[in-house]
Amino acid sequence: MKSLDRHAQDKLKDLQRRHLRRTLTESLREDGLWIERDGKRLLSFSCNDYLNLTQHPAIKQAAIDAIEKYGVGSGASRLVTGNHPLYAQLEVRLARIKQTEAAVVFGSGYLANAGIIPVVIGRKGLVLVDELSHACLFAGAELSRGKVLAFRHNDVAEARKLLARHRSSHDHALIVTDGVFSMDGDLAPLADLLAVADEHDAWLMSDDAHGLGVVGDGRGSSFVGNTHIPLPLQMGTLSKAVGSYGGYLCASGPVVDLIRNRARTLIYSTGLPPACVAAAIAALDLIEREQDYAATPLRKAKMFTRRVGLAEAQSPIVPVIIGDEEATLAASRMLVEEGYFAAAIRPPSVPAGTARLRLTFTAKHSDQTIERLADIVRDKIMKH
Ligand SMILES: *Cc1c(COP(=O)(O)O)cnc(C)c1O
């Protein structure tokens, strides 16, 4: 056997032994709610399609129209000839929703984080990252080649302590955090983090991948509770509640202009397919227009947590933490027998010992279904 193949097989065996081996399962999504996997039709509680917009007829039509008009691909980087006319419309909407001067759209949320952080922070800089932040915030922070420090989850006092100790030996400092935590569903203390950042001449960026469209009247986590926290850097994705694909940054005019000039993942990557941009525009129009619809997934999640007796949901994401990897896989299999799909999330996506079912609620889940799922989780999973 070739040494590379042997290397791969050894690594895979090790993953298997630790119950961490992953496989791709073909998942046929019909309507934003049901999926077909391994020949079984299951009701999904594992899609980030919170508003079921991936299958919305008007949004699909907007994408089809864009293909007819502009073609399938964008043909080049946005900086060359890939900047088709739909981009400007999308960026105007994003800036309006987030109440910033400007916005810039990237190929994905991951590409946005990998591009933004190294522009803002260089070798002599400091990046503080909430320990439960998404992997691509850590990836972007590492790409900056500055000093990267993690602070305990939502621990504002520790972030302050780290800034007090390290800020003076760095030219610039940036705090980054998920706005809505992707595996826990809780919210970051953005107002307090902003105050700490201001105290130490540091900047704050939130990753609102799971906030836009579903919390704060659909505007995201910096708008929760009838306040507006004026974050200097707000990034997110167009692939979750918005139902399409792409990433974005909302910020001031000068910051967005600098990003357009310097972000390598924007400059050296092809522009999005026009259909993705058109779909995102149509979805944001709907989110701005139908705030009650945007509030529905969180309402459903709260209905679930109340019935199970878990801490009240702060977003449409609800973790049912089991701890052990094998037991989590068994719980996920048991739910499949009941007709539900809830993915088992294991390390390294979550810290060791906190394997969980990560449930996501969408606008179209019926109340009866949620009640039945809650009863199963309470009686057959939590009691064991
Ligand atoms: C999904 C996700 C991303 C990545 O966004 P993509 O557009 O899917 O690349 C970034 N941050 C968080 C918190 C996410 O959940």
Side-chain angles (χ1 to χ4, degrees):
M1 192 190 287
K2 300 227 171 62
S3 74
L4 174 58
D5 293 341
R6 198 173 334 110
H7 170 67
Q9 288 204 336
D10 288 347
K11 290 269 189 194
L12 288 169
K13 263 187 217 143
D14 183 52
L15 290 171
Q16 182 88 38
R17 193 175 46 73
R18 294 188 287 142
H19 303 290
L20 296 178
R21 181 152 178 187
R22 292 150 187 247
T23 52
L24 291 170
T25 303
E26 195 168 285
S27 303
L28 179 71
R29 299 182 66 238
E30 300 165 12
D31 61 354
L33 210 49
W34 291 87
I35 55 170
E36 206 179 301
R37 284 166 69 94
D38 296 328
K40 291 195 191 78
R41 201 163 164 272
L42 303 168
L43 191 64
S44 173
F45 285 91
S46 287
C47 301
N48 298 319
D49 186 11
Y50 302 112
L51 300 174
N52 316 99
L53 297 186
T54 61
Q55 313 281 339
H56 190 286
I59 294 170
K60 290 204 288 197
Q61 192 58 50
I64 292 164
D65 293 347
I67 290 178
E68 295 291 357
K69 190 159 178 193
Y70 300 107
V72 174
S74 71
S77 162
R78 291 189 65 189
L79 278 290
V80 185
T81 59
N83 195 40
H84 46 82
L86 296 169
Y87 266 116
Q89 294 179 39
L90 177 57
E91 290 174 348
V92 164
R93 276 173 181 73
L94 286 164
R96 185 169 71 215
I97 288 178
K98 294 291 190 181
Q99 295 181 12
T100 58
E101 271 173 27
V104 54
V105 170
F106 285 79
S108 73
Y110 199 115
L111 287 171
N113 279 330
I116 297 160
I117 300 175
V119 173
V120 175
I121 293 293
R123 251 177 235 284
K124 294 181 189 154
L126 171 67
V127 190
L128 300 187
V129 192
D130 184 290
E131 64 182 350
L132 295 189
S133 292
H134 194 266
C136 63
L137 281 173
F138 283 96
E142 292 298 336
L143 285 171
S144 76
R145 303 193 213 181
K147 187 176 182 72
V148 180
L149 296 171
F151 59 95
R152 274 188 303 275
H153 177 51
N154 280 351
D155 189 338
V156 179
E158 198 194 11
R160 179 186 283 116
K161 226 181 279 171
L162 290 173
L163 280 174
R165 190 174 315 147
H166 297 281
R167 174 68 184 90
S168 60
S169 42
H170 298 275
D171 61 352
H172 303 294
L174 176 70
I175 303 176
V176 298
T177 182
D178 286 15
V180 173
F181 284 85
S182 59
M183 296 296 139
D184 293 80
D186 56 341
L187 302 176
L190 293 175
D192 294 341
L193 285 173
L194 184 60
V196 165
D198 285 345
E199 270 169 42
H200 292 274
D201 185 25
W203 305 315
L204 177 61
M205 180 167 87
S206 72
D207 177 336
D208 212 26
H210 297 279
L212 178 65
V214 288
V215 299
D217 290 332
R219 292 172 185 271
S221 53
S222 56
F223 293 85
V224 171
N226 297 322
T227 55
H228 168 220
I229 304 159
L231 301 185
L233 298 153
Q234 306 179 63
M235 65 74 57
T237 179
L238 304 169
S239 67
K240 287 165 184 164
V242 178
S244 180
Y245 201 70
Y248 65 86
L249 173 70
C250 293
S252 69
V255 169
V256 164
D257 206 14
L258 177 67
I259 294 291
R260 288 196 175 121
N261 276 274
R262 301 294 295 168
R264 300 176 69 83
T265 56
L266 182 76
I267 299 169
Y268 297 106
S269 191
T270 299
L272 282 167
C276 293
V277 180
I281 292 169
L284 290 174
D285 284 348
L286 184 146
I287 289 166
E288 282 189 291
R289 216 171 43 232
E290 299 186 26
Q291 294 192 348
D292 191 56
Y293 187 68
T296 311
L298 175 55
R299 224 163 31 232
K300 304 270 175 180
K302 284 183 179 173
M303 180 189 298
F304 175 84
T305 52
R306 210 174 303 126
R307 195 165 172 110
V308 178
L310 294 167
E312 181 171 78
Q314 295 178 281
S315 75
I317 303 167
V318 176
V320 175
I321 297 179
I322 296 171
D324 177 68
E325 281 104 42
E326 241 187 310
T328 307
L329 287 171
S332 177
R333 280 194 299 268
M334 185 271 285
L335 286 178
V336 166
E337 295 307 312
E338 300 285 350
Y340 298 134
F341 181 68
I345 307 284
R346 292 163 284 164
S349 302
V350 292
T354 71
R356 67 196 63 186
L357 300 175
R358 172 184 178 270
L359 303 176
T360 52
F361 294 88
T362 76
K364 289 200 175 144
H365 282 115
S366 75
D367 293 357
Q368 300 90 293
T369 308
I370 292 172
E371 286 167 8
R372 182 163 173 264
L373 176 70
D375 293 346
I376 294 169
V377 167
R378 189 187 55 218
D379 299 336
K380 295 196 178 169
I381 295 177
M382 304 300 281
K383 293 223 173 106
H384 282 83

